[in-house]
Amino acid sequence: MTTTSASQSCAACPAHNLSNLKKLGVNMTSWDYVIALAGNPNTGKSTVFNALTGLRQHTGNWPGKTVVRAEGGFQYGGSRYKIVDLPGTYSLLSTSTDEDIARNFILFGQPDVTVIVLDASRLERNLNLTLQVLEITDRALICLNLMDESRRHQLHVNERALARELGVPVVPTSARHGEGIPELLQAIYEVASGQAVCKPHRIAARSKELQAAIQRIATNVEARFPGLTNARWVALRLLEGDPRIIEAVRTGELAELVTSKPETEAMPKAAA
């Protein structure tokens, strides 16, 4: 993970895909950035959401789904952030409605920051989802929650080493006690504004044959959709026969994920 001046990087501009967010039922009027909150069930994700938003939140359903969606907002560093609490999932492999919703929001909505909430006392079981999210987006950070539980079990997590290994910021928190929330807000601001540039860890294929197949498909995907930032992940999903990704390739929907979006999609900065 490296740090650069926001004025020197196009990452300082909002990265979200406005048209796809509208399709997903997210209204960005008066908001500068959109934040996705992801994590396994029972990691304290809802508590983190409440700590960030306070009473500035409301609930509804995802379009065409019976799954509840919570949205909220906060202001920090002169910008307004909308935060969307994704369904708690153990995976993004689309074996359930919740997983499909979470995956599609991160992939197609392209949030400015995806905050992945982990249980510091059960870190290993949370890393599967973390690595899947980091395959999709390089605008992410880790909220290492339930640090109080970790201390109670006499477990020590080296957050700096974890940040080096994952290539994204790691912020220790105990959301129910308000611990680490100011640092979390600062980290969200730095990733959203482009001041922190993440280089997330990507798992290399163990088989040379598989690696060659991934590279071949990714090259073809990039040729059809120039500028696509996660062609390798798309290639992996195509190899696994993911029907949602196959349809997105067939219809050309993936073209909407190209990072060079029209300037008219950039949101004006809301008044403080």
Side-chain angles (χ1 to χ4, degrees):
M1 184 180 63
T2 60
T3 301
T4 185
S5 170
S7 62
Q8 296 176 340
S9 173
C10 63
C13 303
H16 59 260
N17 190 306
L18 187 59
S19 61
N20 279 347
L21 287 175
K22 289 179 179 178
K23 293 177 185 177
L24 293 165
V26 177
N27 183 355
M28 287 299 293
T29 302
S30 300
W31 300 96
D32 300 300
Y33 299 105
V34 60
I35 312 302
L37 196 62
N40 290 177
N42 303 315
T43 57
K45 184 163 65 70
S46 294
T47 307
V48 172
F49 177 78
N50 291 335
L52 291 172
T53 63
L55 299 177
R56 298 179 296 278
Q57 56 181 265
H58 68 274
T59 59
N61 285 354
W62 290 89
K65 311 288 185 182
T66 58
V67 179
V68 174
R69 176 177 69 202
E71 293 183 8
F74 59 90
Q75 186 167 335
Y76 187 86
S79 297
R80 289 176 59 84
Y81 298 78
K82 169 169 280 191
I83 183 165
V84 179
D85 189 10
L86 301 179
T89 63
Y90 293 102
S91 170
L92 296 179
L93 299 183
S94 296
T95 58
S96 71
T97 300
D98 286 355
E99 292 173 3
D100 189 59
I101 288 171
R103 189 275 304 274
N104 288 345
F105 189 84
I106 298 171
L107 177 62
F108 294 104
Q110 294 181 290
D112 300 289
V113 186
T114 297
V115 177
I116 311 167
V117 182
L118 307 186
D119 179 349
S121 66
R122 295 175 173 84
L123 187 59
E124 185 176 358
R125 71 174 62 178
N126 291 186
L127 290 177
N128 181 48
L129 176 67
T130 300
L131 293 174
Q132 289 179 21
V133 172
L134 295 183
E135 284 285 347
I136 301 177
T137 180
D138 57 2
R139 300 180 68 94
L141 65 87
I142 303 299
C143 172
L144 191 61
N145 196 35
L146 299 177
M147 289 296 292
D148 52 326
E149 287 295 310
S150 178
R151 289 191 293 265
R152 188 168 67 85
H153 289 96
Q154 297 183 338
L155 298 173
H156 173 70
V157 180
N158 187 332
E159 66 270 14
R160 293 185 178 181
L162 186 62
R164 287 195 300 270
E165 290 294 326
L166 295 178
V168 297
V170 175
V171 182
T173 67
S174 178
R176 58 189 166 195
H177 301 300
E179 177 185 329
I181 298 303
E183 291 80 6
L184 181 60
L185 287 167
Q186 178 66 21
I188 290 172
Y189 163 77
E190 290 177 355
V191 174
S193 66
Q195 292 186 31
V197 179
C198 305
K199 296 182 178 180
H201 174 76
R202 304 281 162 81
I203 298 176
R206 296 181 180 178
S207 161
K208 290 183 179 180
E209 292 77 11
L210 177 59
Q211 185 63 37
I214 293 170
Q215 184 59 48
R216 183 168 61 252
I217 295 173
T219 298
N220 290 334
V221 169
E222 288 174 335
R224 182 173 177 184
F225 305 103
L228 188 67
T229 59
N230 40 26
R232 180 181 180 275
W233 183 84
V234 171
L236 282 166
R237 303 308 299 145
L238 289 172
L239 279 171
E240 292 181 359
D242 187 315
R244 180 68 179 89
I245 300 303
I246 292 172
E247 179 69 9
V249 171
R250 187 185 66 80
T251 62
E253 184 181 359
L254 284 182
E256 299 181 14
L257 302 185
V258 175
T259 55
S260 55
K261 300 185 286 295
E263 290 184 5
T264 53
E265 285 195 8
M267 293 297 298
K269 192 164 187 175

